[in-house]
């Protein structure tokens, strides 16, 4: 399978695994850990869009772009993450050979809908409601030992 052929990469919590603005030379298949998707706005603020877990592809949008668009988001490890690096050209061939274009389009639409819902929530609820939602989606943070 394609994922097994990719080189394994480990990323510590807090590491940027894919950087916004970089070219889409590869994508990552997340096999362990939790990552967050963050878009940096021109004013310097970061907009959280989603969490991703094991079994998810990271960076496929820029890899599949016919216009060679740079990555539109940062992918940051929330916990230690293990990924497999998949070359862009190899991934595109795999998609064509197996007729996976429609499935990837559906996934992209689902993720766009998910991001749109998060953005709408940023505009409407109170700060308390937004914090509660974000905290419920986060893994438990380590406690400080004294």
């Amino acid at each position: 399978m394609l994922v097994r052929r990719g080189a394994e990469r480990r990323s510590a919590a807090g590491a940027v695994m894919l950087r916004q603005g970089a070219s889409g030379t590869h994508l990552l298949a997340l096999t362990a850990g939790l990552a967050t998707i963050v878009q940096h706005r021109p004013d310097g603020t970061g907009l959280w869009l989603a969490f991703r877990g094991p079994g998810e592809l990271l960076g496929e949008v820029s890899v599949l772009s016919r216009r060679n668009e740079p990555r539109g988001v940062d992918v940051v490890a929330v916990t230690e993450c293990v990924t497999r690096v998949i070359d862009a050209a190899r991934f595109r061939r795999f998609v064509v050979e197996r007729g996976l274009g429609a499935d990837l389009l559906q996934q992209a639409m689902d993720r766009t809908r998910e991001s749109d819902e998060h953005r709408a929530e940023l505009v409407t609820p109170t700060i308390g409601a937004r914090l509660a939602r974000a905290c419920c989606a986060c893994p438990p943070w380590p406690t400080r030992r004294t």
Side-chain angles (χ1 to χ4, degrees), residues 108-127:
M109 290 187 319
D110 292 345
R111 286 181 172 184
T112 298
R113 187 174 297 113
E114 176 187 24
S115 293
D116 288 348
E117 288 171 5
H118 292 305
R119 286 183 181 133
E121 288 174 7
L122 288 173
V123 175
T124 52
T126 65
I127 185 105

Side-chain angles (χ1 to χ4, degrees), residues 43-125:
D43 66 2
T45 59
L47 177 62
W48 170 80
L49 299 177
F51 287 110
R52 297 287 179 246
E56 302 250 23
L57 295 177
L58 308 170
E60 77 283 1
V61 172
S62 63
V63 164
L64 293 171
S65 170
R66 290 184 177 198
R67 296 181 295 214
N68 294 321
E69 294 178 25
R71 299 193 190 281
V73 296
D74 275 356
V75 178
V76 181
V78 175
T79 63
E80 180 182 14
C81 289
V82 180
T83 58
R84 293 287 184 154
V85 180
I86 304 168
D87 175 72
R90 177 178 270 178
F91 180 71
R92 287 190 292 266
R93 275 193 310 275
F94 183 84
V95 168
V96 170
E97 289 169 358
R98 287 165 180 76
L100 299 174
D103 293 330
L104 285 170
L105 177 60
Q106 182 62 54
Q107 177 182 310
M109 290 187 319
D110 292 345
R111 286 181 172 184
T112 298
R113 187 174 297 113
E114 176 187 24
S115 293
D116 288 348
E117 288 171 5
H118 292 305
R119 286 183 181 133
E121 288 174 7
L122 288 173
V123 175
T124 52

